[in-house]
Amino acid sequence: ENNTNTVTGLVNSVDGYTAATLWDTASYLLAMISAHDLGIIENSVFDDRLTQVLNTMASFTLFEDKLPNKVYNTATAAMTTYDNQPTERGIGWSAIDIGRIMVPFNVLVWQHPKYTPLVDQVLSSWDLQAMVTNAEMTGADASAGGDTLYLQEGRLGYEEYAAKSLVLAGIDLSEALSYERHFEYVEIDGVQ
């Protein structure tokens, strides 16, 4: 309540700091869904908050017209840098954060299907395939020279977590889901 912007419905990542990533916004959506399902907030509050934040997300300016920028100002919904400075171009996208926002989107579609059209509205302009290279998750970074750098994104655990939610959207992330490629057995005192 203290950090929800009444104009956009977005929530500050930390108290008083008007910026949020998609990871932060996913945490807010999951908390709100949980609060609703536990009876902590009423249906009308849930509906108002959810409708407002999803409508705002549907209006996001996208990095290179493909995917959400890494950070948005919670008061204006404008793309920003990590230090909350406005940026017309954006700073790139995080495939991990996009996978994370898909978690509450999937929960809404399955458990609260009334919101499926709003989730579809948000996703309708996103090019989810743009963040997939060889069935792995690819992030984008805007370089100082104006080029866009595309980098495999993810670490053991985060990558698989994010990929699972994107697979539900029909995205082939079979390599991202394969945790075996990140480890090998070693022998310690005769035990593998």
Side-chain angles (χ1 to χ4, degrees), residues 96 135-137 152-161 163 173-185:
I96 298 291
E136 291 185 319
M137 299 179 71
Q152 189 279 330
E153 194 172 279
R155 301 161 288 303
L156 184 59
Y158 281 100
E159 183 178 18
E160 291 79 13
Y161 168 77
L173 288 167
S174 53
E175 288 298 314
L177 287 169
S178 176
Y179 63 87
E180 289 108 356
R181 66 193 175 111
H182 294 290
F183 73 84
E184 63 183 50
Y185 287 100

Side-chain angles (χ1 to χ4, degrees), residues 64 89 141-149:
E64 296 183 344
R89 179 175 183 221
D141 282 314
S143 74
D147 294 331
T148 300
L149 306 173

Side-chain angles (χ1 to χ4, degrees), residues 15-91:
D15 189 33
Y17 186 67
T18 58
T21 65
L22 285 186
W23 189 282
D24 301 322
T25 302
S27 295
Y28 165 61
L29 291 175
L30 288 167
M32 185 172 39
I33 292 166
S34 297
H36 172 264
D37 292 353
L38 291 169
I40 296 169
I41 60 174
E42 296 177 13
N43 289 340
S44 61
V45 172
F46 179 69
D47 185 65
D48 290 347
R49 284 176 170 259
L50 190 57
T51 299
Q52 184 180 32
V53 74
L54 291 175
N55 280 328
T56 294
M57 292 181 72
S59 74
F60 277 169
T61 301
L62 304 177
F63 179 76
E64 296 183 344
D65 294 323
K66 293 179 183 173
L67 290 165
N69 190 51
K70 292 180 180 182
V71 190
Y72 288 89
N73 183 291
T74 56
T76 65
M79 293 190 297
T80 66
T81 61
Y82 279 121
D83 58 354
N84 206 22
Q85 296 303 306
T87 172
E88 190 171 312
R89 179 175 183 221
I91 61 172

